[in-house]
């Protein structure tokens, strides 16, 4: 009897015909169980699901285990591993040279809040279009686990050393300085982090996401406030984060009384279902106040704290040519002797 040949199902593809494999990078060399690996997975899924061409993405980072992680996602994208703490200036140059690139910067709490702080604050106030992720484990993982400036007062190293200095809250800072999409998530909160990353891709301006990302080797013990157990026990989501991309056009019912609906630049919808209170994610002042209260209460608050879709991005402010600077032809960027003569004449 003839057997019917079994056909293998076609691999699943996204809206531009690519498979999730097309968004993968090299094999990770980070410790098994490191939170940074989970964040790489979410980045892969978010870019795949949003259907972004990998060649249109530039991955920027500094130095640290976190800053190594761009090697482990989107191997077809552009990539630049800068000097420690200097990723913002290199990213700014790249974004101005080619404003069509989707910029994603991956940094660590040490890379950002210590050596890179000067660069970080200026990046935030410029509102450069970039997704800036801090993979925040409260320690310098790569150099064997010293406290970083985001470690909470009272948290303890394995050696018994207790941190007595106040933590820098990078979200509060970013909101005060002018970033236009600021949130905090947890590498173990797959649904929330995925939705936030997709919304970040749809945003035009600086997205600053502080993602608590436990370091299993140096900071995952009792007494740490950046451990898996601590986050599982203390994570306090401000809202249920949902994202509806513009190309899905799904009419999801929501109650405007309990859900804040934010329309992103590309027409996608970010829907924040309030879980605990009347929180307005478009108000900078109350966002900072809520973050400060959360520290006093000892909560590990997560969610999208602040969004502003109206403020001009740095590239919009500079009124750059439609054609990216990097793609302009020689004759367009060198106006020639006649033009120079005219300028000189106008100065006499
Ligand atoms: C100019 C300079 N100073 C110091 C170092 C040493 N160093 C390497 S990584 C690092 C901190 C990394 O911490 P973080 O950014 O939190 O990344 P993690 O490894 O925790 O992911 C330091 C201080 C360096 N590489 N370069
Ligand atoms: S040392 Fe810590 S931060 Fe670095 S790869 Fe290992 S678990 Fe991750
Ligand atoms: Mg760190």
């Amino acid at each position: 009897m003839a057997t019917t040949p079994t056909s293998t199902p076609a691999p699943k593809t996204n809206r531009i015909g690519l498979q999730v494999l097309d968004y993968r990078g090299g094999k990770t060399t980070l410790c098994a169980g490191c939170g940074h690996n989970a964040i790489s997975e979410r980045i892969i899924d978010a870019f795949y699901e949003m259907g972004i061409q990998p060649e249109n993405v530039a991955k920027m980072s500094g130095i640290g285990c976190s800053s190594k992680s761009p090697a482990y996602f989107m191997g077809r994208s552009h990539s630049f591993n800068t000097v420690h703490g200097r990723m913002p200036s290199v990213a700014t140059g790249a974004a101005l040279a080619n404003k069509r690139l989707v910029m994603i910067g991956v940094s660590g709490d040490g890379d950002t809040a210590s050596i890179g702080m000067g660069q970080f604050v200026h990046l935030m106030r410029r509102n450069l279009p970039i997704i800036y992720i801090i993979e925040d484990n409260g320690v310098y993982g790569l150099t064997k686990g010293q406290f970083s400036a985001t470690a909470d007062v009272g948290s303890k190293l394995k050696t018994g050393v207790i941190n007595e200095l106040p933590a820098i809250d990078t979200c509060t800072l970013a909101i005060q300085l002018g970033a236009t999409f600021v949130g905090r998530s947890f590498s173990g909160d797959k649904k929330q982090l995925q939705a936030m990353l997709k919304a970040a891709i749809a945003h035009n301006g600086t997205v600053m996401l502080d993602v608590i990302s436990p370091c299993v080797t140096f900071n995952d013990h009792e007494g740490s406030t950046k451990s898996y157990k601590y986050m599982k026990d203390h994570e306090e989501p401000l809202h249920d984060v949902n994202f509806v991309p513009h190309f899905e056009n799904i009419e999801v019912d929501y109650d405007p009384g309990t859900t804040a609906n934010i329309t992103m630049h590309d027409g996608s919808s970010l829907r924040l279902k309030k879980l605990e209170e009347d929180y307005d994610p478009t108000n900078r002042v109350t966002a900072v106040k809520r973050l400060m209260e959360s520290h006093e209460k000892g909560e590990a608050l997560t969610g999208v704290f602040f969004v502003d879709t109206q403020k001009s991005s740095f590239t919009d402010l500079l009124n750059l040519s439609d054609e990216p600077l990097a793609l302009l032809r020689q004759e367009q960027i060198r106006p020639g002797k006649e033009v120079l003569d005219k300028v000189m004449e106008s100065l006499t």
Side-chain angles (χ1 to χ4, degrees):
M1 198 173 79
T3 51
T4 331
T6 49
S7 57
T8 35
K12 223 176 135 202
T13 54
N14 63 7
R15 68 181 175 125
I16 59 164
L18 297 181
Q19 299 174 35
V20 73
L21 273 178
D22 295 308
Y23 292 81
R24 298 211 154 270
K27 191 173 166 358
T28 179
T29 59
L30 302 182
C31 306
C34 175
H36 303 350
N37 286 328
I39 300 173
S40 296
E41 290 299 319
R42 300 290 77 74
I43 293 172
I44 290 168
D45 290 346
F47 277 84
Y48 166 74
E49 286 175 20
M50 289 295 282
I52 306 294
Q53 187 69 38
E55 288 77 7
N56 289 346
V57 177
K59 308 174 292 177
M60 315 299 289
S61 65
I63 299 290
C65 299
S66 34
S67 293
K68 281 168 72 178
S69 65
Y72 315 131
F73 60 82
M74 290 200 291
R76 286 168 47 173
S77 304
H78 305 276
S79 192
F80 200 128
N81 207 195
T82 73
V83 175
H84 199 16
R86 271 57 169 187
M87 177 254 280
S89 52
V90 180
T92 304
L96 297 190
N98 190 347
K99 63 180 194 173
R100 287 194 196 140
L101 290 174
V102 179
M103 307 289 295
I104 175 164
V106 177
S107 182
D109 39 319
D111 192 65
T112 291
S114 289
I115 196 166
M117 189 49 110
Q119 298 226 345
F120 174 73
V121 296
H122 290 282
L123 182 73
M124 296 300 122
R125 70 189 270 274
R126 286 181 176 147
N127 196 30
L128 186 85
I130 185 170
I131 304 164
Y132 188 99
I133 298 173
I134 304 177
E135 299 189 339
D136 187 356
N137 51 21
V139 287
Y140 301 166
L142 191 72
T143 54
K144 299 201 179 298
Q146 304 83 351
F147 278 129
S148 78
T150 67
D152 291 306
V153 171
S155 63
K156 203 193 264 185
L157 288 182
K158 274 185 185 164
T159 52
V161 176
I162 293 182
N163 176 43
E164 288 175 357
L165 293 174
I168 292 176
D169 186 325
T170 50
C171 289
T172 309
L173 256 186
I175 296 170
Q176 286 175 331
L177 289 163
T180 46
F181 186 123
V182 179
R184 176 168 288 129
S185 191
F186 165 43
S187 62
D189 191 336
K190 189 172 171 177
K191 181 181 169 282
Q192 186 198 56
L193 180 55
Q194 188 85 358
M196 278 166 67
L197 285 169
K198 284 173 28 179
I201 294 170
H203 185 69
N204 176 30
T206 299
V207 177
M208 209 301 284
L209 298 181
D210 179 52
V211 186
I212 307 301
S213 175
C215 167
V216 289
T217 302
F218 297 110
N219 203 18
D220 197 33
H221 48 268
E222 182 81 36
S224 160
T225 59
K226 304 259 195 275
S227 66
Y228 279 106
K229 179 157 186 349
Y230 189 89
M231 282 307 289
K232 290 264 181 232
D233 294 346
H234 293 82
E235 185 183 1
E236 195 71 51
L238 193 50
H239 29 229
D240 189 19
V241 184
N242 284 295
F243 178 77
V244 184
H246 66 94
F247 52 87
E248 276 184 10
N249 207 5
I250 302 170
E251 267 320 306
V252 185
D253 259 356
Y254 70 93
D255 173 5
T258 58
T259 305
N261 183 37
I262 297 156
T263 306
M264 311 300 294
H265 294 89
D266 65 354
S268 302
S269 280
L270 173 64
R271 288 176 188 165
L272 306 172
K273 186 163 187 279
K274 298 161 190 171
L275 290 182
E276 51 167 81
E277 61 181 306
D278 206 14
Y279 183 80
D280 177 7
T282 64
N283 187 322
R284 199 180 288 275
V285 176
T286 50
V288 169
K289 184 167 172 279
R290 183 67 185 87
L291 273 163
M292 294 184 83
E293 281 168 5
S294 82
H295 286 295
E296 280 182 7
K297 290 190 211 158
E299 290 171 347
L301 195 68
T302 61
V304 179
F305 303 139
F306 178 68
V307 190
D308 175 358
T309 55
Q310 304 304 314
K311 188 176 161 183
S312 298
S313 75
F314 194 46
T315 41
D316 294 338
L317 270 182
L318 291 179
N319 207 12
L320 298 175
S321 58
D322 287 342
E323 187 72 1
L325 300 181
L327 305 183
L328 291 176
R329 295 185 309 279
Q330 271 294 321
E331 55 273 26
Q332 290 172 288
I333 48 178
R334 294 188 64 189
K337 190 171 176 316
E338 266 171 46
V339 179
L340 182 63
D341 287 346
K342 270 201 188 137
V343 174
M344 294 308 283
E345 234 171 74
S346 73
L347 296 174
T348 52

